[in-house]
Amino acid sequence: MPKLSVTPLVHPTAEIEHSHLGRYTEVADRCRVAETRLGDYSYMMQDCGVWRAEIGKFVNIAASVRINATNHPVWRATLHHFTYRARDYFEGEDDEQAFFDWRREQSVTIGHDVWIGHGATILPGVTIGNGAVIGAGAVVSKDVERYTIVGGVPAKLIRRRFPQELGQRMDALAWWDWPHEKLRSTLDDFRSLDAAAFVDRYSGKAL
């Protein structure tokens, strides 16, 4: 497997459109990514579909995840997209730009160090906080609080990863903004210390 670097690693079968990929990022086989920012060190495994999303750093996206699964116009006489993709069906007709603008207003925002399990679906307009975990197969229709674990259809709170006070201290530490060299020098502590001990050791220390 090629080594990750400051240049994003994109599989030849992946499709990337109008997107920004950060340093040490990876996009695996057959993913389709459009109008999205993927933060440093984040990755997505095979067969993901992502549209109109702001994804933080160190986000772990398992295979077959769908982020911003777009809505159809449930208030109209038909759900079908011939009404807003009319150009594909009728000579001389234009696509309905206002409908696509409405979709774009409902972008998805994902914080740092989030884990999204296999086959999860994140619906339009959802915000997922730092350090959250989305269970495999979950359908996330509402915002997810930072450092919580959710799962199910629709996704509901399973438990907190960290107490709220520890979560606040982790956000203040913001280790995801550390330079690459600092990540390497603290690797042993990332491996051996639990979250509370890690925050205790590095809070208030200069980079």
Side-chain angles (χ1 to χ4, degrees):
M1 175 179 174
K3 187 176 180 180
L4 298 176
S5 71
V6 295
T7 301
L9 180 61
V10 179
H11 193 273
T13 61
E15 300 177 25
I16 313 292
E17 296 180 359
H18 308 297
S19 296
H20 172 81
L21 308 182
R23 303 173 305 138
Y24 297 95
T25 52
E26 180 179 5
V27 179
D29 321 30
R30 299 176 301 279
C31 290
R32 300 179 67 185
V33 182
E35 298 185 32
T36 290
R37 292 185 63 87
L38 185 67
D40 296 346
Y41 302 90
S42 294
Y43 66 86
M44 59 185 72
M45 301 308 292
Q46 297 81 3
D47 301 303
C48 290
V50 184
W51 181 75
R52 198 69 177 176
E54 185 77 27
I55 300 172
K57 301 176 183 179
F58 296 90
V59 175
N60 315 272
I61 304 173
S64 302
V65 166
R66 181 81 183 273
I67 296 176
N68 205 345
T70 53
N71 285 323
H72 287 248
V74 296
W75 59 90
R76 291 182 175 176
T78 178
L79 300 167
H80 195 272
H81 65 192
F82 81 83
T83 60
Y84 51 92
R85 295 188 184 276
R87 184 169 61 178
D88 293 340
Y89 295 88
F90 309 111
E91 188 70 31
E93 288 291 343
D94 292 326
D95 289 342
E96 185 183 11
Q97 190 58 47
F99 182 82
F100 291 105
D101 291 343
W102 171 77
R103 277 184 169 175
R104 286 186 171 88
E105 291 169 359
Q106 302 176 78
S107 60
V108 167
T109 303
I110 298 172
H112 307 297
D113 197 36
V114 170
W115 173 21
I116 303 177
H118 179 94
T121 301
I122 315 300
L123 296 182
V126 165
T127 296
I128 297 173
N130 293 337
V133 176
I134 311 300
V139 176
V140 182
S141 59
K142 296 181 180 178
D143 292 353
V144 177
E145 190 177 346
R146 63 186 178 183
Y147 305 108
T148 59
I149 301 173
V150 303
V153 181
K156 298 184 185 306
L157 177 67
I158 296 174
R159 65 178 176 86
R160 292 190 173 276
R161 277 188 67 206
F162 305 150
Q164 287 188 329
E165 186 269 342
L166 178 56
Q168 291 169 355
R169 294 180 66 207
M170 189 69 78
D171 280 356
L173 181 63
W175 61 262
W176 39 80
D177 291 331
W178 289 357
H180 193 70
E181 297 75 19
K182 170 127 183 166
L183 294 171
R184 182 171 186 175
S185 69
T186 56
L187 182 59
D188 287 345
D189 286 339
F190 271 108
R191 289 171 168 170
S192 62
L193 300 178
D194 66 21
F198 189 89
V199 170
D200 286 343
R201 175 164 294 185
Y202 290 100
S203 289
K205 290 188 176 182
L207 294 182

